[in-house]
Amino acid sequence: MKVSQSPWILHYDGSSCNGCDIEVLASMMPHFDVERFGVINTGNPKHADILLLTGSINAQTAPVVRQLYKQMPDPKVVMACGICACDGGIFKDCYNVMGGVDKFIPVDIYVPGCAVRPEALIEGVKKAIAILDEKKEKMKIAMKQGYCTVDYGRLAVHTTAEDYDAQVQSDAEPTEETEETAGEEKAQ
Amino acid sequence: MAAKSVIPFGPQHPVLPEPIHLDLVMEDEHVVEAIPSIGFVHRGLEKLVEKKDFQEMVYVAERICGICSLGHGLGYCDAVEHLMDLEIPERAKFLRVIWSEMSRIHSHLLWLGLLADAFGFESLHMQAWRIREQVLDMFEESTGGRVIFSVMKIGGQRRDVPQDMLKSFLERFERMEEEVKVIARTFMDDAAVQSRLKGIGVLSADQAEALGCTGPFLRASGVARDIRSTGYSAYGDVHVEPITGTVGDSYARCDVRIREIFQSFEIIREAVGKIPEGPVEVPVKGFPSGEYMTRIEQPRGEALYYVKANGKKFIERMRVRTPTFANLPGLVEMLKGCELADVPILILTIDPCISCTER
Ligand code: SF4
C-alpha cells in the first residue's frame, strides 16, 4: 500500500472495559507495530490526525469526546474501535450508556470485535490513511475554488463539529459522507 | 508562601490509558491535596442482572475489566457455583489457577511497561510489552481469546487444554523467565530508575492498612496479605507465600511485582505438574438461590464478588468491589506533598484500573 503521510493517533477511552484499550496499545508495540506506517500515539489533540475511540459514550464523556474532536485540525478521521464504540455492545442496555460514538461525532471507520483484534485495528488504520488522503484532496480542491472557509465550513470536505452539532439537531442524521463510509466498513 | 493553584490532571492525559480526573492543589512544585473525581467509565453493569440471566452474566462479568477479565469471570462463577452447590472438577480448578497466574504475569508486565514509559525508558517499555505478547499468544492458543476469553462458565470450563500444550507452555515460560530476568535487572539496578522510584510516595504499613489498601500496593508496605493463601480454586494445593516489601515506596512496589512474576512462573510449574486428568465441567441444573460472597486475588489486589439470588433465572443483585477502588484512598494520601513531576509515577504505582473501579 501507499502511505502518503504518517498519521498521528489520539486515543481516548469513552467508557470501555479496558480490553480494547490494551489492544490499541498492544498494536503500537513491537509485535504488531503500527509504527511502521509512521503512526505515533500522541497525547495532544492538536497534533492528531486520527481520533481513535474505544468504549461507548456516557453523559460524562460526551463533552470530552466532542471537545477533543473539535480541537483536532482538519482533515481528520474518526475510528470507532470495538463493538462498544460502534454501537454500545454488551453494555447497550446499561443505564449509563448512551450508545456508540456515532451518536455524538461523525465516525469514518468502524472496527468491530470484542475485544478488537490488533490485526483488525491495523487494517482500520490502513483504511484511515486512505480516507485521510481523500479528504485532503477534496479539501485542496475546495480551497482552490475558494469554497473552503477558514474553519472549513459546510462546503469543505469535512464538516466541523459545530456544523455537525447543528445538523444533528436539525435533521438528526449523520452527514451523507459518513453514512456512506459507515455502510461500507460495516459490510466488510 | 506561594499562593495555591489548582492544576487539572486528566481525563485525557498521555500517561493515562484510561480516564480519571484529579484536581491537584499545588503550592509551588508541591501537591498539597489531590481531589479525584471518577465516573467517566461508569456503565452500571451491575444492574444488567435484570436483563441478562445468570449464565449470560458471566460474559458481562468478564467485561468488568479487560486486563483481569479472567479473574472477574472466575470470581462471579465461583460465587454462583457456591450458591448452586456445584463442586467443579479438580482439573477445572487447576486450569483456573494456571490461567489466573498467566493473567498476573501479563498484567504485571503491562504495568512494568507503563512504568518504564512514565520514567522515560521507551525501549524498556517496548521490551516489557514484547515479552507480554508471548503470554497473550498462549492465552489465544488455550482459550481462543487474547484479552477477553469467555472460557469460564458456571460449572467449570468451556474447553480443556491438552496436556502436551501445557507442557509446551512450560518450555516457553522457561524462555520467558530468562527474558524477564534481563529487564528486571534494569528496573532494579539502574541508577536513573532508582532515583525516580526510591523514597517516592512512601506509605507505611499502618497507613496502608488503615486506608484499606490491597494487593502488591499493600504488600510493598510490609503487610503479608494475599487472598490466594485462603486456597480458593486449587490454590490450596499449590504453594503460595505472600511476597512483601518493607519500605513501601515506589521502588518496593516495583520490586514486589517483579518478584510476583517469578512466583507466578513457579506456581504454574507446580500446577502443571499436579493437574489431574478428567472432565472440566459439570452439568448445571436449576437456578441459584441464596447469598454468597467470594474473595479472590487479582493482579491488583483483593476483589470481592457478592451475589444474591432467589431461585429465579435472573439473579437479584450482583456487587463487585475491585482492588483499585480500595487503593484510591492510599493514592490520595500518597500524593500529598509529592512533586508535580512525580504524579504520573505515583498514579501508576497503584496500578490503576479505572474501568473496574467504576464498572
Ligand atoms: S468491545 Fe469488548 S473488549 Fe472492547 S471495550 Fe467493549 S466490552 Fe471491552
Side-chain angles (χ1 to χ4, degrees):
Chain A
M1 76 182 262
K2 177 174 139 262
V3 181
S4 54
Q5 76 170 80
S6 306
W8 287 19
I9 285 185
L10 176 72
H11 167 220
Y12 186 74
D13 165 1
S15 63
S16 83
C17 80
N18 222 340
C20 286
D21 299 310
I22 44 174
E23 289 297 64
V24 168
L25 288 180
S27 56
M28 312 258 170
M29 293 298 137
H31 200 76
F32 293 99
D33 199 15
V34 279
E35 277 192 17
R36 66 203 142 114
F37 302 127
V39 174
I40 291 181
N41 193 8
T42 167
N44 188 338
K46 306 238 170 187
H47 294 175
D49 304 296
I50 300 176
L51 178 58
L52 206 159
L53 287 156
T54 51
S56 41
I57 303 291
N58 60 34
Q60 205 171 351
T61 47
V64 182
V65 166
R66 224 175 269 191
Q67 193 188 358
L68 288 174
Y69 180 75
K70 276 182 199 170
Q71 284 175 338
M72 282 170 59
D74 279 302
K76 52 192 162 191
V77 175
V78 179
M79 267 172 86
C81 295
I83 198 68
C84 282
C86 294
D87 81 332
I90 191 166
F91 302 121
K92 209 174 190 169
D93 297 333
C94 286
Y95 58 83
N96 199 31
V97 168
M98 293 159 84
V101 175
D102 54 5
K103 288 210 172 131
F104 299 91
I105 56 173
V107 174
D108 300 284
I109 296 181
Y110 296 83
V111 187
C114 178
V116 58
R117 290 192 60 91
E119 290 90 340
L121 250 168
I122 295 173
E123 185 65 22
V125 170
K126 242 175 75 183
K127 295 217 161 103
I129 297 177
I131 295 183
L132 208 56
D133 281 348
E134 219 173 274
K135 286 190 176 174
K136 214 166 33 184
E137 263 325 296
K138 277 197 206 158
M139 223 161 96
K140 253 189 217 156
I141 297 170
M143 266 167 134
K144 251 190 212 145
Q145 296 174 341
Y147 286 155
C148 209
T149 53
V150 180
D151 61 11
Y152 309 126
R154 278 285 164 97
L155 291 173
V157 264
H158 209 81
T159 50
T160 59
E162 283 91 342
D163 277 339
Y164 187 73
D165 281 354
Q167 232 169 6
V168 168
Q169 272 154 23
S170 61
D171 50 27
E173 281 285 319
T175 57
E176 251 177 56
E177 182 201 3
T178 44
E179 232 171 26
E180 260 173 42
T181 28
E184 255 172 51
E185 295 307 325
K186 272 209 167 150
Q188 286 180 5
Chain B
M1 188 177 272
K4 285 188 182 150
S5 51
V6 179
I7 297 185
F9 188 90
Q12 192 268 329
H13 191 280
V15 298
L16 300 171
E18 289 180 279
I20 179 170
H21 179 85
L22 287 168
D23 278 320
L24 303 170
V25 183
M26 309 284 304
E27 218 165 65
D28 286 341
E29 267 296 289
H30 291 273
V31 179
V32 194
E33 204 187 351
I35 306 158
S37 57
I38 56 175
F40 289 95
V41 225
H42 178 65
R43 288 150 282 172
L45 59 82
E46 284 169 4
K47 207 165 160 53
L48 274 185
V49 291
E50 291 167 10
K51 303 213 172 101
K52 312 236 184 241
D53 68 36
F54 73 103
Q55 307 246 21
E56 288 169 340
M57 268 313 276
V58 181
Y59 297 110
V60 178
E62 288 201 320
R63 283 159 181 81
I64 292 172
C65 157
I67 304 180
C68 325
S69 141
L70 191 110
H72 289 304
L74 195 160
Y76 173 76
C77 288
D78 193 73
V80 176
E81 279 155 8
H82 273 98
L83 287 184
M84 303 179 76
D85 283 327
L86 284 175
E87 182 64 28
I88 69 163
E90 280 300 305
R91 189 173 175 84
K93 285 187 185 168
F94 270 92
L95 281 178
R96 285 183 180 185
V97 165
I98 294 170
W99 278 324
S100 296
E101 292 310 314
M102 280 164 68
S103 293
R104 196 175 317 275
I105 295 173
H106 102 71
S107 170
H108 282 355
L109 280 170
L110 181 145
W111 178 81
L112 284 174
L114 290 178
L115 182 74
D117 194 35
F119 57 59
F121 278 42
E122 187 74 9
S123 137
L124 194 59
H125 166 44
M126 299 267 172
Q127 289 295 344
W129 281 64
R130 181 184 60 76
I131 299 172
R132 171 179 170 268
E133 278 296 329
Q134 303 175 31
V135 188
L136 297 191
D137 285 347
M138 285 183 244
F139 261 130
E140 193 171 355
E141 276 166 47
S142 55
T143 68
R146 279 169 51 88
V147 291
I148 305 277
F149 313 111
S150 300
V151 73
M152 211 61 72
K153 72 172 202 172
I154 288 161
Q157 233 68 256
R158 230 168 260 285
R159 57 160 96 183
D160 193 4
V161 184
Q163 203 66 21
D164 45 347
M165 192 190 273
L166 285 175
K167 290 267 150 54
S168 79
F169 283 1
L170 282 190
E171 282 162 30
R172 284 151 80 177
F173 278 127
E174 209 117 306
R175 255 175 289 147
M176 255 182 80
E177 207 172 340
E178 292 308 312
E179 293 180 27
V180 178
K181 273 185 190 146
V182 176
I183 62 163
R185 270 210 294 278
T186 316
F187 277 106
M188 295 285 84
D189 304 337
D190 191 276
V193 177
Q194 289 190 3
S195 73
R196 287 301 305 270
L197 299 181
K198 274 202 169 158
I200 306 290
V202 181
L203 206 65
S204 71
D206 290 343
Q207 272 177 313
E209 276 238 70
L211 292 168
C213 305
T214 67
F217 188 47
L218 174 71
R219 291 195 284 276
S221 297
V223 183
R225 188 173 303 145
D226 191 327
I227 305 302
R228 283 179 290 174
S229 38
T230 59
Y232 65 90
S233 284
Y235 276 113
D237 299 327
V238 291
H239 180 73
V240 190
E241 185 80 21
I243 288 182
T244 56
T246 44
V247 192
D249 60 355
S250 302
Y251 184 77
R253 285 171 211 135
C254 184
D255 178 47
V256 164
R257 290 204 174 93
I258 288 181
R259 282 190 286 149
E260 281 191 8
I261 296 180
F262 292 116
Q263 183 193 35
S264 296
F265 285 131
E266 278 306 317
I267 295 177
I268 292 176
R269 223 163 277 146
E270 201 181 332
V272 172
K274 284 187 181 163
I275 189 168
E277 295 283 345
V280 289
E281 55 173 320
V282 288
V284 180
K285 281 194 211 81
F287 301 119
S289 85
E291 271 182 288
Y292 196 80
M293 185 115 75
T294 298
R295 294 193 297 165
I296 67 163
E297 182 78 16
Q298 293 275 31
R300 285 160 184 71
E302 172 190 344
L304 200 145
Y305 303 83
Y306 167 81
V307 174
K308 183 175 176 206
N310 50 5
K312 298 216 184 77
K313 198 170 163 202
F314 295 88
I315 54 179
E316 219 172 87
R317 178 82 168 96
M318 173 177 96
R319 171 89 175 93
V320 187
R321 206 280 326 250
T322 56
T324 307
F325 186 76
N327 283 339
L328 276 180
L331 170 69
V332 172
E333 182 63 34
M334 209 161 66
L335 283 173
K336 282 180 196 154
C338 79
E339 286 182 13
L340 181 63
D342 288 331
V343 170
I345 291 204
L346 288 181
I347 294 181
L348 271 184
T349 56
I350 72 162
D351 201 354
C353 171
I354 310 302
S355 65
C356 68
T357 307
E358 303 181 351
R359 303 179 302 284

